[in-house]
Amino acid sequence: MSSEQPPIQGPPMPPEWLTYQYPPPQQDRVTRFVDRVMARSPIWLAPVALLACMGAAAGYTLVTDPVSAEAGAEPTCLLKYVTGFVCPGCGGTRAAWYLLHGDLPAAARHHALFVFAVPFLLYIYVAWAGRKLFRWRLPQLTISPAAMITFMGVWAVWSILRNLPWAPFTAFYV
């Protein structure tokens, strides 16, 4: 058994197999449409559209008054309405309402992490829109993966703690 045999080989590959090129994937209609619209749209459209969406969300929050809404009224959290548990986003709309009215402590009481994230999100928007529209060079806010994982971990732990039914965690329930 000291003699080694060469490995078993199959028939040689046809030469056309080695030169075969896969055709590039075809884009679907929606992607082609979006690409055409983006190529033809003016540079200011995306920042203005995002600002309009944020304005519509703020306007909806102001009009619906989530602070005085009852359990089944809009806007409502479906998870809280059905299960009684506070979801990770519960209190965010009320926190936004309080922020729009300038009441920072009440906003933080309803969703502290949302209040913490708002200034960063606004700065990211201003830096992006300023660069797109006016070619401003504001310092870019870079968030490391470790910082993002830490934030998400804190959010997960906070979301669990605010559902615990004993003190001091009942203070987090909104």
Side-chain angles (χ1 to χ4, degrees), residues 5-161:
Q5 296 180 0
I8 300 175
Q9 294 185 2
M13 287 191 347
E16 62 268 10
W17 285 14
L18 298 173
T19 60
Y20 181 75
Q21 296 291 322
Y22 288 101
Q26 294 295 320
Q27 292 180 336
D28 60 300
R29 283 187 222 163
V30 174
T31 304
R32 286 193 311 262
F33 173 74
V34 169
D35 285 345
R36 264 194 323 268
V37 168
M38 284 176 39
R40 294 178 185 165
S41 63
I43 195 78
W44 54 264
L45 186 61
V48 170
L50 189 56
L51 185 63
C53 289
M54 290 187 299
Y60 177 77
T61 302
L62 287 171
V63 168
T64 57
D65 190 12
V67 174
S68 61
E70 294 184 15
E74 283 110 18
T76 188
C77 177
L78 187 60
L79 181 73
K80 185 175 180 180
Y81 186 66
V82 173
T83 66
F85 289 118
V86 178
C87 76
C90 270
T93 308
R94 286 168 280 172
W97 191 87
Y98 281 118
L99 279 177
L100 290 169
H101 286 85
D103 192 351
L104 191 61
R109 157 75 178 91
H110 281 84
H111 203 297
L113 292 174
F114 173 78
V115 173
F116 173 77
V118 163
F120 295 103
L121 295 172
L122 288 175
Y123 180 81
I124 289 170
Y125 171 75
V126 168
W128 170 73
R131 187 175 61 250
K132 284 274 194 197
L133 297 175
F134 309 113
R135 300 182 198 255
W136 292 347
R137 292 290 174 200
L138 294 176
Q140 198 67 29
L141 179 64
T142 55
I143 301 171
S144 69
M148 188 52 112
I149 290 169
T150 302
F151 178 77
M152 298 305 268
V154 167
W155 193 359
V157 169
W158 181 68
S159 298
I160 292 168
L161 292 179

